[in-house]
Amino acid sequence: MASSLPSLPPVPGTDPSSSVFDAFRISIAKRLADALEPLTLEQAYAGVDYGKKGEDFTVALPRFRLPGKVDELAKKVIDQFQADDFVASVKHDKAFLHFQLNTTSLIRETLNQIHRLGSAYGCNSSGKGKKVLIEYSSPNIAKSFHVGHLRSTIIGAFLANVYKTCGWEVISANYLGDWGTQFGLIAVGYDKYGSQDELQKDAIKHLFDIYVKINKDADTDPDVKLEAAKFFRRMEDGEEDALKNWREWRELSVKKYEAEYDRLNVRFDLYTGESKVGQESIDGAIKRLDEMGLIEDHEGAKLVNLEKYKLGKAVVRKKDGTSIYLTRDIGGAVERYEKYKFDKMIYVISSQQDLHVAQFFKVLELMGFPWAKDLVHVNYGLVQGMSTRKGTVVFLNQIIKEATTVMHEQMQKNEEKYQAVEDPEMTSEELGITGIKIQDMTAKRINNYTFNWDRMLSFEGDTGPYLQYAHVRLASIGRKNPHLLPLPPRSEINIDTLTTSAHAREIAFLLGTYPDVVKTALKTHEPSGVVTFAFRLSHAISSAWETVIVKGEEDIEKAKARMWLYESARDVLAASMRLLSIRPLERM
């Protein structure tokens, strides 16, 4: 560690060279282990937690289950305590010991590490050599891209970023609903209502319109459904004539989706779908289940009885002999493992599907696939009340358009600032998308939430636009103080002005926690922890503006030190936003 701090013994699973707080924690753990035999350094380290209300780190002594009274144990640690470059003080409070870090070391080491690692600050290599496949978004072609798909997209993109940041090789997969009887209906409808021009213009919308019209016809004319079933049967039999149009519809829809995902700052490595699962994989799955004696016949349908796992009965083949979702999912999972040999596969699917996913995982486990234990379901709650000001939302681009319009109107209220924005259209779109994403990721993902345009796009309170504003404000410091840039070599910057400011200390401490924020996100699969961090940092910076000033500070040495702090804060705030798939704005 390129650091002025004394060297410390290593602790497995820690890396002070990428997370400087690991060093401070090891130093605290060493004091505990030295004073409290037979406590080992590793056991002590596991007990060092972030403190509450003004305490840096806290240790709950009872967790170590050591002989003797808590007060006696605390006294042993305090009697041996000597302040050093890591820790300034310790105090005993009931069952707890609270440790305060050395402020100078805390600030200098944290800012140095951010400067040294640059955009790699917050990254770790815990997933080195491992591969994860994440399936998310997964809209149905020719049907609406509804809010559930939006949640899956936002959460999935976040997970892909987190796993990459932790050194994993990530494959982002979009499993499209691109097969099934609805394509028979669309084919019949296309003959009647289709237009090549409209299809090229916006395939998703045009196919959806046809689907709505032909469904109306089917309500009054039973022949429509028969025609559709016949057509889909031809597709299943692989007739080129029947597949030609379908292929074009799929391709054009994917192209349109790619453009919309790009606006959301989301990219997929793989567009797969129900149509891509081979018939032999589906038949092979049923054959294997049969051979293992896992299938029961029920009035001509085949099912797997999972009642002893409290998962009911899972249908794997319908009476008419057609496969259903579950069989396709099983066949698809087997194909994926054979192709990618993943270490983990994550499905980002709504909690409404909890039973289906649990059945799916259980059946794979019963089939004896050792990798079934590496499947993870990341679920999420529902969104209520998503509509535009004109009524219900059907397509993703309507949601983005509405958010952009609302933000644009907001921006125009400040004439002077509006004139300074280079590209108001792009800026208002980014602000709108940030608003949507932050509203979605603020609470724990399992919670349902009500979609609220006013709250989402406000500059007041913990919203997306407020977060962008915090970043823009940090980005403007350099523009407003060009005489301070570039900053001198960091070892030449005198940080005394920072060590005497409680505001500066709080910002530096939060910056030091960022590598842990990333590790926790990997463990919990929760974007809300990263959102909370970004807001806490933004609030701490906002509180510091009045006292930790740069512009107007006559002492150039003080101004440079503060500039370094704010530049570091900007880099880390931007990193946390990118982790959430948000593009940080420079101006607004």
Side-chain angles (χ1 to χ4, degrees):
M1 184 169 66
S3 148
S4 55
L5 293 173
S7 68
L8 290 162
V11 171
T14 68
D15 178 15
S17 70
S18 68
S19 168
V20 73
F21 274 19
D22 283 2
F24 288 104
R25 277 187 289 247
I26 293 170
S27 161
I28 293 169
K30 188 172 181 313
R31 293 159 199 276
L32 295 167
D34 288 351
L36 303 173
E37 286 190 344
L39 192 66
T40 67
L41 183 65
E42 280 176 57
Q43 288 167 331
Y45 185 89
V48 182
D49 292 318
Y50 282 113
K52 297 214 172 25
K53 289 196 203 93
E55 306 296 350
D56 292 344
F57 287 98
T58 292
V59 174
L61 289 166
R63 72 169 288 161
F64 299 131
R65 304 213 162 104
L66 293 165
K69 292 198 172 92
V70 166
D71 288 0
E72 290 162 8
L73 299 174
K75 188 175 181 322
K76 278 185 187 173
V77 177
I78 287 171
D79 286 350
Q80 286 193 23
F81 179 82
Q82 280 184 322
D84 64 7
D85 288 347
F86 286 106
V87 185
S89 67
V90 59
K91 69 171 188 258
H92 173 208
D93 170 23
K94 301 189 185 78
F96 302 98
L97 285 173
H98 300 301
F99 293 86
Q100 286 299 101
L101 305 185
N102 174 307
T103 298
T104 303
S105 300
L106 156 68
I107 295 175
R108 181 165 288 288
E109 294 301 319
T110 301
L111 298 188
N112 271 337
Q113 190 165 75
I114 294 166
H115 176 64
R116 196 177 70 253
L117 294 174
S119 61
Y121 182 67
C123 297
N124 64 69
S125 54
S126 60
K128 201 172 173 222
K130 288 192 254 185
K131 186 189 291 184
V132 62
L133 194 147
I134 309 175
E135 178 195 295
Y136 57 102
S137 194
S138 307
N140 295 305
I141 285 186
K143 289 191 184 172
S144 64
F145 185 105
H146 62 75
V147 193
H149 297 129
L150 180 67
R151 288 214 80 183
S152 173
T153 308
I154 292 171
I155 295 164
F158 163 74
L159 292 175
N161 291 337
V162 170
Y163 273 86
K164 279 178 196 154
T165 304
C166 296
W168 287 69
E169 180 192 341
V170 177
I171 298 159
S172 288
N174 198 336
Y175 183 72
L176 301 167
D178 62 357
W179 199 245
T181 40
Q182 82 260 29
F183 285 99
L185 269 171
I186 293 163
V188 173
Y190 193 78
D191 283 345
K192 203 168 167 186
Y193 302 112
S195 142
Q196 195 57 29
D197 279 357
E198 291 300 315
L199 186 72
Q200 292 294 338
K201 229 184 284 171
D202 186 343
I204 295 171
K205 185 176 183 310
H206 186 51
L207 293 173
F208 177 78
D209 291 342
I210 289 171
Y211 188 61
V212 170
K213 283 180 189 162
I214 199 70
N215 261 312
K216 253 198 196 114
D217 295 351
D219 289 343
T220 52
D221 179 358
D223 286 348
V224 172
K225 284 252 162 86
L226 291 173
E227 284 279 296
K230 258 192 240 159
F231 194 93
F232 183 60
R233 175 53 58 202
R234 285 173 54 208
M235 283 171 66
E236 288 222 288
D237 292 341
E239 277 187 39
E240 188 45 44
D241 261 8
L243 288 170
K244 202 169 74 218
N245 275 357
W246 167 81
R247 247 187 240 113
E248 185 185 23
W249 299 337
R250 185 187 190 280
E251 203 176 303
L252 289 170
S253 297
V254 166
K255 225 188 222 137
K256 179 79 179 158
Y257 272 130
E258 273 184 312
E260 292 189 356
Y261 287 128
D262 190 52
R263 292 164 80 185
L264 288 175
N265 201 17
V266 173
R267 275 157 210 78
F268 290 94
D269 303 300
L270 183 65
Y271 280 90
T272 172
E274 294 171 44
S275 66
K276 300 283 188 195
V277 181
Q279 194 55 47
E280 57 277 18
S281 301
I282 295 169
D283 295 341
I286 289 182
K287 186 166 174 254
R288 182 162 174 158
L289 284 165
D290 231 346
E291 285 166 358
M292 295 176 80
L294 293 167
I295 282 188
E296 293 178 4
D297 278 307
H298 181 70
E299 294 173 5
K302 290 183 184 295
L303 42 91
V304 180
N305 188 338
L306 301 172
E307 282 177 339
K308 68 170 166 193
Y309 307 105
K310 300 195 169 55
L311 294 172
K313 292 182 175 182
V315 180
V316 289
R317 184 154 270 177
K318 289 193 281 201
K319 283 179 201 158
D320 63 5
T322 55
S323 64
I324 67 157
Y325 274 119
L326 185 63
T327 347
R328 254 176 213 288
D329 284 346
I330 292 165
V334 173
E335 283 182 1
R336 274 186 209 174
Y337 185 75
E338 281 167 5
K339 184 168 181 186
Y340 295 104
K341 297 285 187 280
F342 52 76
D343 297 277
K344 188 188 276 191
M345 177 153 64
I346 298 172
Y347 292 85
V348 184
I349 302 175
S350 141
S351 58
Q352 288 172 296
Q353 303 282 329
D354 280 357
L355 177 64
H356 168 80
V357 179
Q359 288 180 337
F360 163 45
F361 288 3
K362 182 51 87 181
V363 171
L364 283 168
E365 187 192 314
L366 295 174
M367 288 169 81
F369 292 114
W371 46 265
K373 67 177 186 330
D374 303 318
L375 305 182
V376 179
H377 177 202
V378 171
N379 59 4
Y380 53 86
L382 297 172
V383 188
Q384 278 106 9
M386 179 105 158
S387 58
T388 65
R389 290 175 290 185
K390 293 193 186 79
T392 50
V393 161
V394 185
F395 304 110
L396 175 60
N397 60 1
Q398 289 175 305
I399 304 167
I400 296 173
K401 199 184 259 163
E402 179 83 4
T404 305
T405 309
V406 176
M407 282 321 316
H408 204 173
E409 288 166 8
Q410 288 271 58
M411 282 164 61
Q412 282 165 317
K413 287 176 187 167
N414 185 329
E415 187 64 34
E416 191 189 337
K417 278 192 176 161
Y418 184 74
Q419 295 307 322
V421 177
E422 276 169 29
D423 186 344
E425 274 299 317
M426 183 281 292
T427 304
S428 45
E429 180 171 291
E430 281 306 325
L431 282 171
I433 288 169
T434 305
I436 293 168
K437 288 182 176 178
I438 290 296
Q439 176 164 280
D440 197 280
M441 292 188 274
T442 295
K444 288 256 189 328
R445 57 184 156 74
I446 196 62
N447 295 347
N448 300 338
Y449 75 89
T450 304
F451 196 87
N452 180 328
W453 286 106
D454 295 335
R455 191 180 69 234
M456 178 182 96
L457 299 174
S458 160
F459 282 91
E460 307 295 317
D462 288 353
T463 62
Y466 172 78
L467 211 51
Q468 287 284 17
Y469 176 66
H471 181 268
V472 165
R473 217 171 158 187
L474 286 167
S476 72
I477 298 178
R479 292 198 293 269
K480 288 175 179 165
N481 300 278
H483 62 293
L484 299 174
L485 294 173
L487 286 171
R490 300 311 187 261
S491 56
E492 291 170 20
I493 295 180
N494 177 346
I495 62 164
D496 288 352
T497 178
L498 302 180
T499 59
T500 54
S501 158
H503 287 306
R505 188 187 198 279
E506 189 192 355
I507 292 170
F509 191 89
L510 279 167
L511 298 179
T513 68
Y514 182 61
D516 289 330
V517 170
V518 174
K519 286 177 202 153
T520 303
L522 182 75
K523 229 185 348 236
T524 60
H525 295 147
E526 282 289 354
S528 59
V530 180
V531 174
T532 302
F533 167 81
F535 282 125
R536 282 182 66 195
L537 182 57
S538 301
H539 294 317
I541 291 159
S542 171
S543 306
W545 285 130
E546 301 303 315
T547 52
V548 186
I549 55 169
V550 177
K551 195 169 173 59
E553 173 55 68
E554 282 160 17
D555 183 331
I556 208 89
E557 291 309 309
K558 282 183 179 175
K560 282 177 183 169
R562 292 167 186 170
M563 183 79 176
W564 184 20
L565 177 73
Y566 285 133
E567 294 269 288
S568 307
R570 183 191 74 178
D571 291 345
V572 176
L573 182 60
S576 70
M577 290 165 78
R578 287 191 198 100
L579 205 59
L580 296 164
S581 80
I582 291 166
R583 296 181 180 106
L585 291 169
E586 294 292 312
R587 295 171 186 265
M588 68 190 233

